């Protein structure tokens, strides 16, 4: 369990780096560069919440516990990275847009991201990284929400936004979980 937690922190840092370049650069270039985070996770086989949620066996209780440990480790990794981010870098507009979007639409936007994440993670596990390079910018440019990237954005905003955002964040986490499991409906081979 400790190893999963430690490695999930590294996954959170990796996704946080992707989020950092997206915040600093923005646009298509930032979205493409964000793929670095997931490519790192895939290459080093690090546990990522959105890379795990679509592969959990619902009959194995320990996998559910591991998924919660992974989520918490990913969030901690994002927070640790945020400690060294220059103060002029912030994600106020991103978090405010989530708040303005509201619970239901944030949940739905997170489902879209979850579907794409499971597809690109499955491809990455099969060493097809090209799908990752296209899939990550796809979910970003579509405006879909990624719970771990959002954890990083949450760590670099003014604390005043957090009370309005935290419940929406839970809807994003749940939406990612639902979306990550949509590909199961197509019965892809494990």
């Amino acid at each position: 369990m400790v190893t999963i937690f430690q490695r999930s922190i590294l996954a959170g840092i990796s996704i946080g780096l992707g989020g950092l370049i997206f915040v600093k650069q923005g646009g298509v270039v930032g979205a493409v560069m964000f793929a670095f985070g997931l490519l790192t996770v895939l290459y080093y086989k690090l546990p990522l919440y959105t890379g795990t949620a679509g592969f959990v066996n619902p009959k194995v209780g320990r996998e559910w516990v591991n998924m919660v440990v992974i989520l918490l480790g990913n969030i901690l990794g994002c927070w640790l990275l945020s400690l060294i981010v220059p103060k002029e870098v912030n994600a106020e507009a991103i978090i405010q847009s989530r708040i303005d979007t509201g619970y239901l639409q944030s949940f739905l936007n997170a489902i879209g991201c979850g579907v794409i994440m499971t597809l690109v993670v499955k491809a990455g596990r099969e060493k097809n990284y090209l799908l990752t390079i296209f899939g990550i910018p796809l979910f970003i440019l579509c405006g879909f929400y990624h719970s771990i990237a959002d954890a990083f954005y949450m760590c670099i905003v003014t604390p005043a936004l957090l009370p309005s955002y935290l419940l929406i964040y839970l809807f994003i986490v749940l939406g990612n979980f639902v979306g990550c499991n949509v590909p199961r409906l197509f019965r892809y081979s494990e």
Side-chain angles (χ1 to χ4, degrees), residues 11-12 19 24-25 57 85 91 97 117-118 128 134 136 138 142 156:
K24 288 185 71 103
Q25 183 64 45
N57 182 342
V85 171
S97 74
M117 285 298 296
T118 293
N128 181 355
F134 287 106
I136 300 308
L138 175 67
C142 285
I156 59 172

Side-chain angles (χ1 to χ4, degrees), residues 9 13 19 24 27 32 48 58 60 85 101 108 119 125-126 129 133 138 144-145 162 167 171 173 182-183:
I9 292 170
I13 290 169
K24 288 185 71 103
V32 170
L48 179 67
V60 180
V85 171
T101 298
L108 295 173
L119 296 175
R125 289 179 177 181
E126 296 168 1
Y129 298 117
I133 293 169
L138 175 67
F144 296 151
Y145 301 167
L162 295 181
L167 188 55
F171 276 83
V173 169
V182 166

Side-chain angles (χ1 to χ4, degrees), residues 8 11-12 15 38 41 46-53 70 74 117 121 146 148:
S8 67
I15 297 301
L38 187 61
V41 166
L46 300 173
L48 179 67
Y49 171 72
T50 52
T52 305
I70 290 166
N74 291 166
M117 285 298 296
V121 166
H146 186 270
I148 306 309

Side-chain angles (χ1 to χ4, degrees), residues 7 21-22 24-25 29 60 74 86 94 98 116 118 143 165 174 181 184-185 190:
R7 292 178 52 77
I21 190 62
F22 180 70
K24 288 185 71 103
Q25 183 64 45
V29 172
V60 180
N74 291 166
I94 293 171
R98 306 303 198 246
I116 294 169
T118 293
Y165 177 68
L174 292 173
N181 284 282
R184 290 179 192 245
L185 299 173
E190 291 293 332

Side-chain angles (χ1 to χ4, degrees), residues 10 50 139 148 168 172 176 182:
L10 295 174
T50 52
F139 90 71
I148 306 309
I168 290 172
I172 292 170
N176 279 169
V182 166

Side-chain angles (χ1 to χ4, degrees), residues 19 22-23 34 91-107 109-110 113 139-140 142-154 157 161 164-172 176:
F22 180 70
V23 170
F34 189 105
E92 307 277 326
I94 293 171
I95 296 299
Q96 186 61 55
S97 74
R98 306 303 198 246
I99 294 167
D100 294 343
T101 298
Y103 304 108
L104 179 60
Q105 191 60 50
S106 292
F107 175 76
N109 288 347
C113 175
F139 90 71
I140 293 171
C142 285
F144 296 151
Y145 301 167
H146 186 270
S147 55
I148 306 309
D150 272 33
F152 174 72
Y153 303 145
M154 182 171 45
V157 297
L161 284 176
S164 302
Y165 177 68
L166 289 177
L167 188 55
I168 290 172
Y169 181 72
L170 291 177
F171 276 83
I172 292 170
N176 279 169

Side-chain angles (χ1 to χ4, degrees), residues 19-86:
L20 177 59
I21 190 62
F22 180 70
V23 170
K24 288 185 71 103
Q25 183 64 45
V28 174
V29 172
V32 170
M33 293 302 294
F34 189 105
F36 170 84
L38 187 61
L39 288 168
T40 302
V41 166
L42 290 170
Y43 183 79
Y44 289 103
K45 297 182 173 115
L46 300 173
L48 179 67
Y49 171 72
T50 52
T52 305
F55 303 95
V56 170
N57 182 342
K59 296 177 184 173
V60 180
R62 182 156 190 97
E63 288 190 23
W64 291 98
V65 172
N66 286 347
M67 194 170 59
V68 171
V69 169
I70 290 166
L71 176 62
L72 295 175
N74 291 166
I75 292 169
L76 179 58
C78 289
W79 177 76
L80 289 171
L81 179 65
S82 77
L83 297 176
I84 62 167
V85 171

